[in-house]
């Protein structure tokens, strides 16, 4: 008993020395096993004395190493301490306490030898989390919360972590519309291990709170409906209501009046009054979640002020905003605004400009005296606040090398409702490009990227060249267009700038693996591969096969189709986009070999093996083309020269009765010239730019040189096929509205396209060639007629074999001599991207299409078209290319009393977008 009191006295005296270190005590903290009786007098002296620590011991630690605890305490063997009066012990306890690892810390002096003392730390470690449970919620929500509460298994349980977990749970449900969530935490000891605890969160979500009504007051000049449209993240409940809300404030009045009073006092005197009246009472929003999110609400208030500023109300402020829960459990929001005066631009003067005159800068700025004041528009026209869309004052200077250009608008006078500005310009020196570096190209060789750049070291900096370089890199198709970066490192002291391009490689190769039924031959399989970043010169380097030699930007394509007996086709193509490596001169070679037999019996559904070698149509083609980029009218233009030879060999083949003979060899030697201009911003989902091409394909005019009697024999007349064929394609892409989505990369895009084709003859005594005509209809996918050289033009909503269209005398394309010799096609598509990720680009579309074909100019009428409307989806997967489908309704196939499905059809596409 006497020993116990000695220990208690020592602990009490130590407490007096170290102060707050003993703020928490625990009954399970063990005291030192033995105490030197001489220690009883260590605190009884009047003069402080120095002691040296001879040893440190740790008790009560389970998870933390003794050396670690001593190190954190800041004490060490050999340290000198002063007793009484020293602060060494209190600092040691404070250091340990700050780690939030212990519930309790005590220090004992257990032994005294002369001026040497021995110290013992008794610690009680905080429990660690062994498991976590959620009660009162669904299993799926509990799984979501495990990764969001901010505390994980084996972590130390602290009060701060408990509070953080509760806050995270409330935030999780607040984002889902639950604004009155209660969370209680229960901590229990886990009997499976020492120092482990279980946390159980009891959650009461309450009812989901939706925004009932948003009221505005003080908005004398801007309707509440327009203000609500600016609140993208704060929406009212979806409903169609004729019932007025009691004491509903009407915009344009600070008073609150009832429905009947408003009707009596105002009436429907004009369209604007009618709209003003209907706006608050008629409301229906499709897919409006009406969840209240505090962060989005604050952002929406800023958008309201930005909208007011764009209308000239630069003094507009939100005076107050309140919210309250209604009896129905909905959240009503009241926003009070003060609009202030509407301002207009006054005189705009220029100062500091030496390169361009005031008149030129004023024309580019595009803001005139009397225009509604909008500071954002002024800054945008000056090119401030980041890269714009071009056509502004900043772009004008930067395209001429003035990278360090600055334009600062200064208000010089404000009178009544007019604001005068002086634009102070600092032109700076013209910048020269010094270093151009490229990073991130792990597979693609640097010269493939560098040859596409318009920013050349030593040349004058140009913003247009920079944007063009970005476009060319994206159009290579080897990199993630969303991750392409361009960084500047300007050096004003030397008048130079360094440019760094950062790219992220993506898969550019494609695999085609498909099967289809039709074409009179049954089941047909297709296997194709396209290597779009191939390297021929590395074929013989074993180390380059990973898994294939890549990096030089060449394209190699191989494709095989077959059903075993009735049909088979082999295709090969190779393209070198930079022949010689110095100029953008492309070289391409392609070859195909196709055989179609009469071995399939349509009546029995069986194959006749013997007929396979005695009755067939075989076509072979080899073509070579050279392309050249032009400098005039601009370098978006290119010119392609091509020569092709195609042979058609028939042996006892009478399936195509329009051909001149069942036996024979027909030859087609043609030359092709194509002038094109391509300026789209990216190849997969273009948002802006256009594609145009005008081409002519022609054969030698044999009939001008051969005796006319040679053409009395039909088979002989087509031994050497002759024709001239003209094609025009035009596509425009126009962005609609503002970019949406978290990364501002989703935007409606309008595509407008027009196509025209015509095939003619050289001599009047000849018929137009049965080869190389136009097939119009369906999905534009090649069928069995495609092997004799037809351009297949897609027309969604109309089958190829359609003779039911009352707008056209005959649409019977059941044989090739009934295929068209000319056609027109017009398309409008409204597209919206659901995903622009390079690993899976997905977008939907709606379309209007009109097309038709004719047999000669006498019947040609560009306004006599077959029309269709519909919807579709496109999926671009790097490995498989384009996958898509459309559902089209042929408007001119509809009959009175008929069903839409009788005039509609699905079309599918794989690997490419049909014409």
């Amino acid at each position: 008993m006497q020993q116990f009191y000695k220990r208690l006295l020592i602990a009490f005296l130590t407490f007096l020395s170290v102060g707050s270190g003993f703020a928490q005590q625990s009954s399970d903290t063990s005291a030192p096993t033995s105490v030197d009786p001489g220690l009883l007098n260590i605190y009884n002296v009047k003069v402080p004395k120095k002691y040296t620590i001879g040893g440190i011991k740790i008790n009560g630690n389970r998870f933390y190493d003794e050396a670690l605890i001593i190190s954190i305490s800041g004490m060490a063997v050999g340290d000198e301490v002063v007793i009484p009066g020293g602060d060494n012990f209190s600092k040691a306890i404070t250091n340990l306490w700050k780690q939030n690892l212990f519930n309790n810390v005590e220090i004992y002096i257990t032994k005294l030898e002369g001026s040497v003392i021995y110290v013992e730390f008794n610690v009680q470690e905080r429990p660690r989390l062994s498991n976590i449970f959620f009660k009162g919620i669904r299993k799926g929500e509990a799984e979501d919360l495990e990764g969001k509460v901010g505390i994980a298994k084996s972590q130390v349980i602290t009060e701060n972590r408990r509070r953080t977990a509760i806050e995270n749970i409330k935030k999780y449900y607040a984002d889902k519309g639950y604004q009155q969530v209660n969370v209680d935490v229960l901590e229990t000891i886990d009997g499976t291990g020492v120092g482990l605890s279980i946390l159980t969160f009891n959650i009461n979500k309450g009812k989901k709170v939706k925004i009932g009504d948003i009221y505005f007051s003080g908005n004398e000049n801007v309707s509440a409906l327009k203000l609500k449209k600016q609140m993208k993240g704060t929406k009212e409940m979806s409903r169609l209501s004729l019932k007025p809300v009691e004491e509903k404030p009407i915009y344009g009045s600070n008073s609150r009046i009832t429905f009947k009073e408003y009707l009596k006092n105002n009436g429907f005197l004009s369209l604007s009054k009618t709209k003003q009246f209907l706006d608050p009472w008629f409301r229906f929003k499709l897919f409006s979640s009406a969840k209240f999110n505090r962060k989005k609400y604050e952002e929406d208030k800023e958008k309201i002020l930005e909208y007011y500023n764009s209308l000239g109300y630069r003094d507009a402020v939100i005076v107050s905003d309140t919210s309250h829960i209604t009896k129905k459990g909905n959240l009503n929001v009241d926003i009070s605004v003060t609009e202030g005066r509407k301002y207009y631009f006054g005189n705009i003067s220029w100062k500091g400009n030496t390169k361009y005159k005031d008149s030129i800068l004023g024309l580019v700025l595009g803001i005139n005296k009397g225009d509604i004041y909008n500071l954002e528009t002024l800054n945008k026209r000056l090119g401030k606040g980041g890269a714009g869309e071009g056509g502004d004052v900043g772009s004008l200077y930067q395209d001429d090398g003035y990278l360090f250009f600055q334009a600062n608008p200064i208000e010089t006078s404000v009178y009544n409702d007019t604001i005068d500005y002086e634009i102070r310009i600092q032109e700076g020196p013209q910048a020269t490009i010094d270093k151009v570096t490229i990073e991130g190209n792990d597979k693609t060789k640097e010269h493939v990227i560098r040859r596409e750049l318009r920013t050349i070291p030593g040349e004058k900096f140009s913003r247009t060249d920079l944007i063009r370089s970005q476009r060319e890199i994206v159009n290579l198709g080897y990199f993630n267009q969303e991750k392409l970066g361009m960084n500047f490192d300007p050096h004003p002291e030397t008048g130079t700038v360094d440019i760094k391009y950062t790219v992220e490689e993506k898969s550019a190769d494609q695999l085609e693996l498909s099967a289809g039924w039709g074409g009179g031959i049954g089941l047909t399989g297709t296997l194709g591969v396209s290597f779009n970043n191939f390297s021929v010169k590395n074929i013989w380097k074993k180390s380059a096969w990973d898994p294939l030699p890549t990096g030089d930007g060449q394209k190699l394509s191989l494709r095989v189709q077959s059903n075993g007996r009735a049909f088979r086709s082999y295709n090969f193509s190779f393209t070198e986009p930079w022949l010689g490596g110095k100029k953008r001169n492309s070289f391409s070679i392609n070859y195909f070999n196709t055989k179609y037999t009469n071995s399939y019996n349509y009546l029995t559904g069986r194959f006749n093996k013997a007929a396979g070698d005695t009755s067939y149509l075989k076509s072979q083609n080899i073509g070579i083309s050279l392309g050249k980029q032009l400098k005039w009218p601009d370098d978006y233009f290119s010119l392609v020269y091509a020569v092709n030879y195609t042979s058609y060999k028939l042996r006892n083949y009478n399936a195509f009765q329009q051909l001149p003979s069942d036996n024979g060899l027909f030859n087609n030697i043609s030359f092709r010239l194509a002038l094109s201009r391509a300026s789209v911003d990216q190849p997969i989902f273009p948002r802006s730019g256009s594609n145009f091409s005008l081409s002519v394909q022609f054969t030698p005019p044999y009939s001008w040189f051969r005796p006319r009697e040679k053409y009395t024999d039909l088979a002989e007349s087509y031994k050497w096929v002759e024709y001239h064929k003209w094609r025009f394609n035009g596509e425009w892409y126009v962005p609609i509205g503002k970019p949406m989505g978290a990364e501002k990369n989703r935007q409606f895009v309008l595509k407008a396209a027009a196509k025209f084709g015509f095939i003619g003859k050289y001599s009047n005594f000849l018929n137009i060639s049965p080869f190389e005509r136009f097939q119009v209809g369906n999905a534009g996918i090649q069928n069995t007629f495609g092997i004799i050289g037809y351009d297949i033009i897609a027309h969604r909503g109309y089958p190829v074999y359609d003779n039911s269209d009352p707008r056209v005398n005959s649409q019977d394309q059941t044989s090739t001599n009934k295929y068209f010799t000319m056609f027109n096609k017009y398309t409008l598509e409204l597209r919206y991207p659901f995903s622009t990720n390079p690993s899976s680009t997905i977008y939907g579309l709606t379309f209007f299409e009109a097309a038709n074909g004719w047999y000669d100019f006498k019947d040609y009428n560009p306004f006599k078209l077959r029309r269709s409307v519909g919807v579709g989806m496109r999926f671009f997967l790097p490995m498989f290319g384009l996958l898509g489908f459309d559902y089209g309704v042929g408007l001119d196939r509809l009959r009175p009393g008929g069903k839409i499905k009788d005039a509609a059809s699905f079309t599918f596409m794989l690997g490419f977008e049909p014409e």
Side-chain angles (χ1 to χ4, degrees), residues 3 334 344 452 608 734:
Q3 185 69 19
D334 293 279
Y344 300 87
E452 303 290 340
N608 182 351
V734 181

Side-chain angles (χ1 to χ4, degrees), residues 6 126 282 302 324 649 790:
K6 290 181 179 179
R126 291 183 185 272
F282 285 87
E302 292 297 324
H324 63 277
K649 184 178 181 180
Y790 287 93

Side-chain angles (χ1 to χ4, degrees), residues 396-407:
L396 177 68
Y397 272 93
Q398 289 177 4
D399 281 343
D400 199 26
Y402 290 92
L403 175 63
F404 312 108
F405 162 84
Q406 292 183 9

Side-chain angles (χ1 to χ4, degrees), residues 22-81:
F22 293 96
Q24 295 190 28
Q25 299 292 331
S26 177
S27 60
D28 63 351
T29 302
S30 55
T33 57
S34 62
V35 179
D36 190 336
L39 293 176
L40 295 176
N41 298 320
I42 198 170
Y43 284 94
N44 293 332
V45 297
K46 294 182 179 180
V47 179
K49 183 179 179 181
K50 289 185 179 180
Y51 296 90
T52 302
I53 298 177
I56 301 175
K57 184 179 179 181
I58 306 295
N59 279 334
N61 56 313
R62 297 186 181 95
F63 297 102
Y64 302 107
D65 183 68
E66 181 175 313
L68 175 63
I69 297 175
I70 295 173
S71 175
I72 294 174
S73 72
M75 296 184 68
V77 175
D79 287 353
E80 287 188 347
V81 298

Side-chain angles (χ1 to χ4, degrees), residues 215-220 249-251 253-254 256 334-338:
Y215 300 143
F216 284 92
S217 61
N219 51 320
E220 300 286 343
I250 307 300
Y251 76 86
S253 173
N254 291 323
R256 291 177 178 270
D334 293 279
I335 301 175
S336 176
V337 301
T338 299

Side-chain angles (χ1 to χ4, degrees), residues 770-840:
F771 303 95
E772 299 292 339
R773 294 192 180 193
F774 305 103
Q775 179 197 75
V776 181
N778 220 326
I781 299 176
Q782 179 170 323
N783 59 18
T784 52
F785 290 133
I787 65 176
I788 50 177
Y790 287 93
D791 287 1
I792 305 171
I793 311 301
H795 191 189
R796 293 166 285 192
Y798 289 89
V800 174
Y801 314 120
D802 177 30
N803 196 25
S804 62
D805 187 353
R807 296 173 58 84
V808 183
N809 294 330
S810 176
Q811 285 294 330
D812 180 14
Q813 299 182 82
T814 56
S815 58
T816 54
N817 63 348
K818 294 182 180 180
Y819 276 23
F820 299 121
T821 61
M822 58 194 311
F823 81 93
N824 267 128
K825 178 182 175 182
Y826 307 97
T827 302
L828 281 177
E829 285 185 359
L830 184 63
R831 301 176 168 188
Y832 182 77
F834 298 107
S835 170
T836 55
N837 192 310
S839 62
S840 57

Side-chain angles (χ1 to χ4, degrees), residues 141 145 148 167-181 208-210 233 289-297:
E141 293 174 334
L145 283 174
K148 297 179 182 292
E167 291 173 359
N168 290 340
I169 291 172
K170 289 184 176 181
K171 182 180 182 301
Y172 172 79
Y173 282 106
D175 292 341
K176 294 180 175 292
Y178 297 93
Q179 302 296 321
Q180 298 173 322
V181 181
K208 182 177 287 189
V209 177
K210 291 189 176 182
S289 64
K291 293 186 300 185
F292 182 80
N293 184 295
R294 174 62 62 178
K295 181 180 179 181
K296 292 182 178 179
Y297 175 63

Side-chain angles (χ1 to χ4, degrees), residues 666-826:
F666 304 92
N667 303 282
N668 180 359
I669 299 177
S670 65
F671 304 91
R672 184 173 180 270
L673 291 176
L675 178 66
S676 62
R677 186 182 188 274
S679 62
V680 294
D681 60 335
Q682 53 183 278
I684 299 176
F685 184 76
R687 293 181 174 90
S688 63
S690 59
N691 287 324
F692 294 96
S693 67
L694 176 64
S695 66
V696 56
Q697 183 178 349
F698 58 93
T699 65
Y702 304 109
S703 60
W704 291 1
F705 309 107
R706 299 178 69 194
R708 186 166 180 173
E709 54 270 18
K710 288 280 188 181
Y711 295 92
T712 56
D713 183 354
L714 195 59
E716 182 66 22
S717 64
Y718 292 109
K719 184 175 182 179
W720 295 96
V721 179
E722 65 174 71
Y723 59 87
H724 53 91
K725 184 176 181 179
W726 303 80
R727 289 291 307 271
F728 170 79
N729 291 341
E731 297 175 345
W732 298 262
Y733 298 91
V734 181
I736 305 295
K738 295 182 179 180
M740 295 175 284
E743 298 180 0
K744 301 297 182 183
N745 58 355
R746 298 181 184 179
Q747 186 176 20
F748 284 100
V749 175
L750 180 67
K751 173 189 175 183
K755 301 179 188 294
F756 170 78
F758 167 75
I759 183 171
K761 57 185 180 181
Y762 293 111
S763 300
N764 292 330
F765 61 84
L766 283 178
N767 292 322
I768 294 178
S769 166
F771 303 95
E772 299 292 339
R773 294 192 180 193
F774 305 103
Q775 179 197 75
V776 181
N778 220 326
I781 299 176
Q782 179 170 323
N783 59 18
T784 52
F785 290 133
I787 65 176
I788 50 177
Y790 287 93
D791 287 1
I792 305 171
I793 311 301
H795 191 189
R796 293 166 285 192
Y798 289 89
V800 174
Y801 314 120
D802 177 30
N803 196 25
S804 62
D805 187 353
R807 296 173 58 84
V808 183
N809 294 330
S810 176
Q811 285 294 330
D812 180 14
Q813 299 182 82
T814 56
S815 58
T816 54
N817 63 348
K818 294 182 180 180
Y819 276 23
F820 299 121
T821 61
M822 58 194 311
F823 81 93
N824 267 128
K825 178 182 175 182
Y826 307 97

